[in-house]
Amino acid sequence: MAGAGTRVFISHLAGIAVFDPNGDQVGRVRDVVVSLRIGGRPPRVLGLVVEVVGRRRIFLPMTRVTSLESGQVLTTGVINMRRFEQRAAETLVLAELLDRRVTETGTDSEVTVLDVAMVQSRLREWEISKVFVQRGKPTRLRKSKGEAVTLDWSAVTGFSLAEEGQGAANLLATFDQLRPADLANVMHHLSAKRRAEVAAALDDERLADVLEELPEDDQVEIIGKLKDERAADVLEAMDPDDAADLLSELPGEEAERLLQLMEPEEAAPVRRLLAYQEDTAGGLMTTEPIVLEPNATVAEALARVRVSDHKPALAAQVYVCRPPNETPTGKYLGTIHFQRLLREPPYTLVGSIVDGDLDPLPPDTPLSLITSYLATYNMVAAPVVDEADHLLGAVTVDDVLDHLLPEDWREASLHDGEPHGTPHDEVFESEATHGR
């Protein structure tokens, strides 16, 4: 355990691993829970919010933390795996204190909170001792010309006040390395106000990636709080199938207004997807598979597969078609799996190794038949072709799973990390509540 007087900055705890007494990893730290106190007394640190397998968040009391050194947290005893629920008198440091505008008492000037530090007293109780702040007006970016200083907790006021327009630069900097799905998990657990502030601070591409991982209710809430022009930009940055799914959840007039604001070439594939039934191949497909002409070489095909923007399921195979190469394409000739590309010389023309024996899916193919098709032929994606042999898109296994799982599976995953009806009270259970 860090010794008495050792200072630990909260942002440094974000994402570090938590281990049990046997050395097995339990999860990762996502936030710190504190209790604000009256009379200018430093807040007491109650415990850590730890994300365990399945993205469930649990509470780890500080009384069970034995060490905060060497970039890891060590615990003692069994851990209560019941889902963490924030109480009214509790404050989450990363989610609610970072980026807050408070007042420096010595100068009565406003400063922005960049970080806070906790320290263990001689009584082995952890409390917030220092506040790392930036003087001067805040900017959208983390870096600013303002002076950054560390102040005693007693040297600032305003943490107990409701914060308007808090910003999110420092919160996002803390979670900068998170994958979109993990950042979506963070955002889902924020208040609606903080969620809107984080969305406003993200760039269009990052927000688009995160929206694709959020439950539908969160997607609709966030897109509804963006200005129409920016909402259209974010929809353009999303995969067309995900954008279509989101627009289908909006009122018809609102969806049409956003489609009108999108660039015509970006809106066109989304409109095509909206024309199909949701649970058919046409409604599930993405309109951006990897398409090559028959005179392209294996080397060119592999170069396209290596592009990092392609999701793994889409990069598992390429589709050979006559021009045009954008969907709907010219005549569909067949598919080449990634493994076949690896077995052929780089100069080989893809038209000579195409697999044309496997029938593609018509756009009206129902979900049950799509599932059987992928399972029968051990595929992670399948071409969707119209009656005129034009490639319209590809259905990937992840899109199929989205529709096979319960409608609220994202919500359940972000909350519990387990299917509905699965008992969890007995798993690593040791206390009746969060351990507080």
Side-chain angles (χ1 to χ4, degrees):
M1 174 66 103
T6 301
R7 186 186 304 169
V8 179
F9 279 95
I10 302 299
S11 67
H12 296 172
L13 295 176
I16 69 172
V18 179
F19 295 91
D20 66 15
N22 297 321
D24 296 323
Q25 184 171 334
V26 175
R28 292 188 177 275
V29 176
R30 290 304 182 213
D31 218 321
V32 176
V33 184
V34 300
S35 175
L36 299 180
R37 298 191 279 195
I38 61 174
R41 298 172 63 197
R44 184 164 64 94
V45 180
L46 303 177
L48 309 177
V49 178
V50 178
E51 184 176 297
V52 297
V53 175
R55 299 186 193 165
R56 186 198 308 165
R57 292 185 166 207
I58 66 170
F59 179 79
L60 175 63
M62 290 305 294
T63 54
R64 294 193 176 276
V65 175
T66 59
S67 175
L68 286 173
E69 298 175 343
S70 303
Q72 62 186 16
V73 175
L74 301 182
T75 69
T76 182
V78 293
I79 297 174
N80 183 347
M81 298 295 285
R82 182 175 288 122
R83 176 168 57 87
F84 167 72
E85 293 182 2
Q86 185 180 359
R87 296 174 179 174
E90 297 170 344
T91 300
L92 297 176
V93 174
L94 298 179
E96 299 177 305
L97 296 190
L98 295 197
D99 302 290
R100 182 177 285 271
R101 294 287 287 170
V102 295
T103 301
E104 185 178 353
T105 55
T107 61
D108 287 332
S109 59
E110 284 196 332
V111 293
T112 302
V113 178
L114 303 181
D115 205 349
V116 297
M118 64 182 189
V119 67
Q120 189 179 32
S121 68
R122 293 185 178 87
L123 300 176
R124 299 182 62 80
E125 181 180 85
W126 286 90
E127 61 184 21
I128 301 298
S129 61
K130 300 288 184 179
V131 187
F132 185 49
V133 302
Q134 181 177 278
R135 292 169 174 155
K137 293 183 177 181
T139 64
R140 184 174 179 180
L141 300 176
R142 180 179 175 87
K143 295 182 179 179
S144 173
K145 297 180 181 178
E147 178 187 12
V149 295
T150 301
L151 304 174
D152 289 332
W153 176 267
S154 59
V156 295
T157 61
F159 281 107
S160 61
L161 302 177
E163 180 71 19
E164 298 296 333
Q166 188 170 342
N170 298 292
L171 174 64
L172 288 177
T174 302
F175 294 114
D176 181 58
Q177 301 303 315
L178 291 184
R179 294 183 177 184
D182 294 324
L183 182 53
N185 187 25
V186 171
M187 289 182 65
H188 177 75
H189 287 89
L190 297 176
S191 66
K193 179 182 90 55
R194 274 309 257 155
R195 197 155 42 234
E197 290 162 349
V198 171
L202 291 169
D203 62 51
D204 293 346
E205 294 286 344
R206 181 73 159 158
L207 179 55
D209 291 341
V210 171
L211 279 176
E212 293 173 1
E213 303 296 337
L214 281 168
E216 291 176 351
D217 288 348
D218 288 348
Q219 292 181 354
V220 172
E221 172 198 295
I222 289 171
I223 208 75
K225 291 183 179 179
L226 301 178
K227 292 183 178 180
D228 283 353
E229 291 77 9
R230 189 179 182 219
D233 291 340
V234 172
L235 287 167
E236 289 175 359
M238 295 176 69
D239 288 341
D241 54 325
D242 291 307
D245 289 342
L246 174 50
L247 286 170
S248 68
E249 297 298 319
L250 301 178
E253 292 183 1
E254 183 178 349
E256 181 58 32
R257 184 175 69 253
L258 293 176
L259 282 167
Q260 292 284 353
L261 290 172
M262 293 172 66
E263 293 294 330
E265 63 271 19
E266 299 288 349
V270 178
R271 288 186 184 277
R272 289 201 302 272
L273 291 169
L274 288 170
Y276 296 108
Q277 292 292 326
E278 183 180 2
D279 57 351
T280 64
L284 294 173
M285 68 182 179
T286 177
T287 58
E288 298 178 343
I290 301 175
V291 178
L292 295 166
E293 295 181 22
N295 60 352
T297 64
V298 166
E300 293 175 85
L302 290 173
R304 292 284 301 279
V305 167
R306 281 195 294 268
V307 175
S308 59
D309 287 345
H310 295 310
K311 294 181 179 180
L314 278 181
Q317 54 210 44
V318 299
Y319 304 95
V320 182
C321 305
R322 301 291 183 191
N325 296 338
E326 300 295 327
T327 56
T329 67
K331 182 179 176 61
Y332 168 75
L333 301 178
T335 300
I336 308 176
H337 296 279
F338 174 61
Q339 284 184 325
R340 178 67 187 273
L341 292 173
L342 293 176
R343 292 196 294 264
E344 299 292 337
Y347 53 79
T348 304
L349 299 182
V350 296
S352 66
I353 57 172
V354 67
D355 180 2
D357 295 335
L358 197 60
D359 291 333
L361 297 173
D364 59 354
T365 305
L367 180 60
S368 58
L369 292 183
I370 300 170
T371 306
S372 300
Y373 182 97
L374 293 176
T376 300
Y377 299 111
N378 297 314
M379 299 175 68
V380 294
V384 181
V385 174
D386 65 14
E387 294 180 352
D389 287 337
H390 301 142
L391 179 69
L392 302 177
V395 178
T396 59
V397 67
D398 55 315
D399 290 323
V400 171
L401 287 173
D402 278 349
H403 287 73
L404 287 177
L405 292 168
E407 289 186 6
D408 61 347
W409 76 268
R410 289 187 187 276
E411 184 84 16
S413 174
L414 293 175
H415 271 307
D416 302 311
E418 59 189 15
H420 288 302
T422 301
H424 62 269
D425 288 351
E426 71 277 9
V427 183
F428 299 110
E429 194 70 73
S430 63
E431 303 176 33
T433 60
H434 300 325
R436 287 170 277 181

